[in-house]
Amino acid sequence: MATLLRSALRPLRPLGGRRGPAADVPLRGVRHGAGLLYPGHIPTSPLQKALLAAGSAGMSLYNPYRHDMVAVLGETTGHRVLKGLRDQMRKDPEGAEILQERPRISLSTLDLDKLRSLPEGSLGQEYLRFLDVNVVISVSWDRALRRNLHSAQRVSPDTRAPTRFVDDEELAYVIQRYREVHDVLHTLLGMPTNILGEIVVKWFEAVQTGLPMCILGALFGPIRLSAQSLQVLVSELIPWAVQNGRRAPCVLNLYYERRWEQPLLALREELGITEPPAVHVRGPA
Amino acid sequence: MATHRSCALWSYCGRRWSRVMRCCRLPGFRSSWPRGPLGARHLSQEKQATETHFGFETVSEKEKGGKVYHVFESVAKKYDVMNDMMSLGIHRIWKDLLLWKMHPFPGTQLLDVAGGTGDIAFRFLNYVRAQHKRKQKRQLRAQQNVSWEEIAKKYHNEEDPLGGSRVVVCDINKEMLKIGKQKARAQGHKAGLAWVLGDAEELPFDDDKFDVYSIAFGIRNVTHIDQALQEAHRVLKPGGRFLCLEFSQVNNPLISRLYDLYSFQVIPVLGEVIAGDWKSYQYLVESIRQFPSQEEFKEMIEDAGFEKVTYESLTSGIVAIHSGFKL
């Protein structure tokens, strides 16, 4: 009886997952952790991913302070590249360790006192200094919806939103790791968090990871720059970033949590990163 | 047993079969539908009495109120923008049609429940103001041999541009009311407007107080719809009118499929991109599917004691305006 019904209903089923298995009843049971791949996972259909990618790309251009849109863009467009990154991490010994142990860089997991007590010039010290010095004025959308704040927000590892739209648990970790490593990259490359610095880091990341979001950010980020900044960018910063990106091994393979004591300069030498050019900030870039 | 399994199958075949599903109310099947007295309670003996739906989730009734509150708290700021985006501006026409159906005249006392951001209330005020002006003009034209003094006096003695009409906006959510008050200030509505924080299931008003009770896109979020309807019946004056504008079931199968596609694929994405909130808009489209059809809702309204209950489907049934009278 059940099979009869099933065969009767089959031709009436909606085509190709367009109705959104995301929205239909079976997946709803999934919402309660029963079949979710990881906490915070929102299953999406291919059409939804395409719309999200387009929408988030447009919105991040329109409002560059929407960091969550950049994150969504990365998640929806990066599946294939993330697989490549994950496979490459598996091949590297340190990378494989990271995939197994799944370390996270967040304020709760970082021992700030220990980092502060590290010698001058070490990676941990420099990273902490970077966090303290860089104040990012951003509209925190989550809170803004409730309190309408423009919050002058210190950069902290926790400003990275959790992954939601990646449909593979390991890849979700990889992209989360990439986001958390982003700040360490700033320290490594010696780039501030103004728009010029961000673009340089994006170029570096684009060459290193090949994520579509990085490539798009690297190509379209400079749109809002003044002619002067653009000139500096193109003549000095981008060539430097590309060169170093090509030369350095994949930065995702570094177990940063074990390298806090390592002097920053030694790490740069190990990766083949040359002295970063000075980024002059002349008012809003 | 076999029928039980087959009912589960029906449920897996998507929400379009929800009507079929609802007929399939066997014990052990998906738990509660907030029905009128005789409905689900009689049939689903195994379910717990305090469970209800939150979109497609099953939650306890106590939880639902809090969850709905949380949803509207987070969408409040972007509520109007998102409405325009999601309905491509058509929601304005729907609300205008509700007002035309209401056809208030100067002196009408309106209670707008779940009217947080004030769309219906402002339309009501504009309508009544326009009516009042027209009435005045008519009066002037009807009078013969009026002196300039008398005309000037008529226009100066503008004590009440609303002609005695009042609207009370009642909402359970503080954030929505806040937005409504801001809009009122921005649009210059001062007189004749009151903002009350209250629960549709337990209105803070006396019996027999209002001429018209309206609830636009609010009743599907109420945990106990039958209680809300009973409250509506209580606070209306005899002869008063109940009007409900709500999403309903689409009658055309082709449009239904397009509508489902749009709802489930596009709307949460819009919510994420514009408002940064996927889950609230997922809840929105799911709660629409959970709401009873036009006929069923009509029966619920009749159960609450209203008479001459009618409904009018708009845009192929995407929304429907239900109307009933307390006689």
Side-chain angles (χ1 to χ4, degrees):
Chain A
M1 166 82 159
T3 41
L4 250 173
L5 275 169
R6 201 184 282 150
S7 51
L9 290 168
R10 196 167 286 142
L12 297 165
R13 279 248 187 111
L15 317 153
R18 296 221 126 207
R19 273 279 305 287
D24 269 1
V25 179
L27 227 52
R28 244 324 188 141
V30 152
R31 272 269 213 115
H32 290 282
L36 283 185
L37 299 171
Y38 49 88
H41 182 213
I42 298 179
T44 41
S45 68
L47 175 61
Q48 281 176 320
K49 285 207 177 67
L51 290 171
L52 265 178
S56 57
M59 185 53 100
S60 23
L61 269 183
Y62 175 71
N63 183 350
Y65 291 120
R66 288 288 300 270
H67 300 301
D68 61 326
M69 286 291 103
V70 179
V72 168
L73 182 60
E75 287 171 30
T76 49
T77 54
H79 193 83
R80 220 170 279 160
V81 175
L82 282 174
K83 275 208 192 118
L85 273 177
R86 191 246 334 248
D87 294 336
Q88 181 238 72
M89 276 174 88
R90 277 197 187 142
K91 292 198 197 112
D92 180 272
E94 215 173 330
E97 263 191 276
I98 295 175
L99 278 179
Q100 271 214 308
E101 291 174 28
R102 306 265 178 106
R104 298 285 301 264
I105 305 177
S106 76
L107 284 178
S108 54
T109 57
L110 288 178
D111 191 348
L112 292 174
D113 293 322
K114 182 166 157 269
L115 285 182
R116 218 157 277 165
S117 68
L118 287 173
E120 185 74 31
S122 62
L123 179 65
Q125 252 278 355
E126 294 294 319
Y127 178 59
L128 220 57
R129 187 184 303 155
F130 163 80
L131 289 181
D132 284 335
V133 158
N134 281 280
V135 179
V136 175
I137 312 257
S138 75
V139 179
S140 174
W141 277 97
D142 212 51
R143 293 185 285 154
L145 285 173
R146 282 162 204 151
R147 293 199 303 239
N148 200 18
L149 287 175
H150 279 255
S151 57
Q153 201 183 18
R154 302 235 134 175
V155 172
S156 94
D158 292 340
T159 55
R160 308 296 165 207
T163 318
R164 277 171 305 161
F165 300 112
V166 179
D167 290 334
D168 179 307
E169 186 237 359
E170 202 171 14
L171 298 182
Y173 173 73
V174 173
I175 203 170
Q176 188 72 38
R177 180 79 184 161
Y178 152 76
R179 269 185 220 154
E180 289 169 359
V181 154
H182 179 84
D183 291 333
V184 185
L185 272 188
H186 268 278
T187 317
L188 213 56
L189 297 175
M191 288 292 140
T193 50
N194 54 30
I195 197 152
L196 218 49
E198 290 286 353
I199 293 176
V200 177
V201 178
K202 269 287 169 295
W203 273 92
F204 183 84
E205 286 173 347
V207 174
Q208 281 254 312
T209 63
L211 281 168
M213 175 256 286
C214 298
I215 296 175
L216 284 172
L219 290 175
F220 287 102
I223 281 182
R224 291 174 164 248
L225 287 179
S226 67
Q228 207 170 32
S229 315
L230 206 56
Q231 213 236 345
V232 171
L233 189 69
V234 173
S235 59
E236 281 180 32
L237 300 170
I238 290 182
W240 176 82
V242 172
Q243 233 177 20
N244 284 283
R246 282 230 177 97
R247 197 169 32 217
C250 185
V251 288
L252 285 178
N253 285 336
L254 296 175
Y255 208 131
Y256 294 102
E257 289 83 346
R258 297 209 187 123
R259 290 174 180 254
W260 293 130
E261 294 95 20
Q262 187 176 9
L264 183 57
L265 294 172
L267 185 57
R268 280 199 186 142
E269 235 186 273
E270 187 183 331
L271 297 176
I273 295 177
T274 55
E275 179 77 30
V279 176
H280 297 288
V281 187
R282 225 165 275 164
Chain B
M1 247 316 121
T3 34
H4 165 69
R5 237 187 299 139
S6 69
C7 265
L9 272 179
W10 286 96
S11 79
Y12 279 135
C13 289
R15 297 318 289 179
R16 274 191 322 152
W17 299 96
S18 58
R19 239 167 292 159
V20 182
M21 252 174 59
R22 283 198 202 97
C23 304
C24 232
R25 277 177 279 158
L26 292 180
F29 183 52
R30 281 189 31 89
S31 33
S32 74
W33 298 90
R35 287 310 203 194
L38 295 177
R41 208 145 296 223
H42 165 67
L43 291 173
S44 26
Q45 299 124 347
E46 285 165 23
K47 73 151 168 68
Q48 281 151 33
T50 53
E51 282 200 331
T52 182
H53 53 79
F54 177 74
F56 290 169
E57 278 176 54
T58 309
V59 298
S60 73
E61 284 179 352
K62 287 203 193 85
E63 267 189 295
K64 174 159 180 175
K67 288 181 100 133
V68 171
Y69 190 95
H70 191 70
V71 164
F72 281 94
E73 198 185 25
S74 37
V75 304
K77 295 237 164 39
K78 295 263 156 178
Y79 187 72
D80 294 316
V81 173
M82 283 300 300
N83 278 347
D84 276 329
M85 289 282 138
M86 292 192 290
S87 66
L88 307 169
I90 301 179
H91 74 107
R92 297 169 188 240
I93 303 180
W94 291 332
K95 289 172 182 160
D96 287 338
L97 282 171
L98 178 71
L99 255 295
W100 290 348
K101 195 152 187 156
M102 193 193 297
H103 193 49
F105 47 86
T108 304
Q109 309 290 307
L110 170 68
L111 172 64
D112 184 26
V113 178
T117 52
D119 277 343
I120 301 291
F122 302 150
R123 280 176 171 76
F124 173 81
L125 290 174
N126 292 336
Y127 195 104
V128 160
R129 208 170 275 143
Q131 289 272 57
H132 189 67
K133 270 211 188 90
R134 248 179 281 152
K135 183 169 145 195
Q136 278 192 317
K137 274 207 193 119
R138 253 182 281 138
Q139 278 180 338
L140 276 180
R141 248 182 278 146
Q143 290 172 342
Q144 307 288 324
N145 303 323
V146 187
S147 70
W148 281 115
E149 280 172 352
E150 286 182 311
I151 297 176
K153 223 195 298 177
K154 254 274 152 79
Y155 277 101
H156 275 309
N157 284 357
E158 204 47 273
E159 289 149 358
D160 192 358
L162 298 173
S165 312
R166 296 285 176 272
V167 55
V168 177
V169 180
C170 178
D171 200 292
I172 199 173
N173 195 300
K174 283 195 203 103
E175 292 299 314
M176 298 288 281
L177 282 177
K178 225 196 280 178
I179 303 290
K181 282 191 208 159
Q182 283 171 10
K183 276 171 68 179
R185 244 176 286 137
Q187 293 178 20
H189 294 285
K190 285 190 213 127
L193 199 50
W195 305 88
V196 175
L197 187 70
D199 186 348
E201 297 177 16
E202 222 181 302
L203 290 171
F205 304 110
D206 279 331
D207 302 1
D208 306 338
K209 277 217 80 187
F210 296 99
D211 294 312
V212 184
Y213 174 110
S214 73
I215 182 164
F217 301 121
I219 203 160
R220 73 173 188 287
N221 299 306
V222 173
T223 314
H224 299 107
I225 299 183
D226 48 343
Q227 280 184 29
L229 293 173
Q230 282 167 21
E231 279 293 279
H233 193 265
R234 180 182 69 83
V235 300
L236 277 174
K237 290 184 196 159
R241 189 173 196 184
F242 168 85
L243 278 168
C244 171
L245 174 66
E246 190 54 78
F247 288 107
S248 204
Q249 310 289 336
V250 179
N251 37 41
N252 181 323
L254 173 66
I255 297 192
S256 172
R257 283 183 74 157
L258 288 174
Y259 179 51
D260 283 345
L261 185 77
Y262 180 74
S263 296
F264 287 104
Q265 303 297 312
V266 180
I267 286 186
V269 173
L270 275 180
E272 177 66 31
V273 171
I274 298 178
D277 192 346
W278 176 285
K279 300 233 159 121
S280 297
Y281 290 92
Q282 181 83 26
Y283 161 73
L284 173 86
V285 295
E286 291 175 355
S287 65
I288 293 175
R289 296 302 176 289
Q290 295 286 44
F291 194 70
S293 68
Q294 285 91 326
E295 274 299 323
E296 288 171 53
F297 190 49
K298 173 176 171 216
E299 281 165 31
M300 289 172 76
I301 300 176
E302 280 168 351
D303 284 341
F306 289 100
E307 289 170 56
K308 291 258 179 270
V309 180
T310 57
Y311 62 83
E312 187 188 335
S313 293
L314 306 173
T315 328
S316 308
I318 295 182
V319 299
I321 301 181
H322 281 78
S323 157
F325 288 91
K326 172 178 177 174
L327 296 175

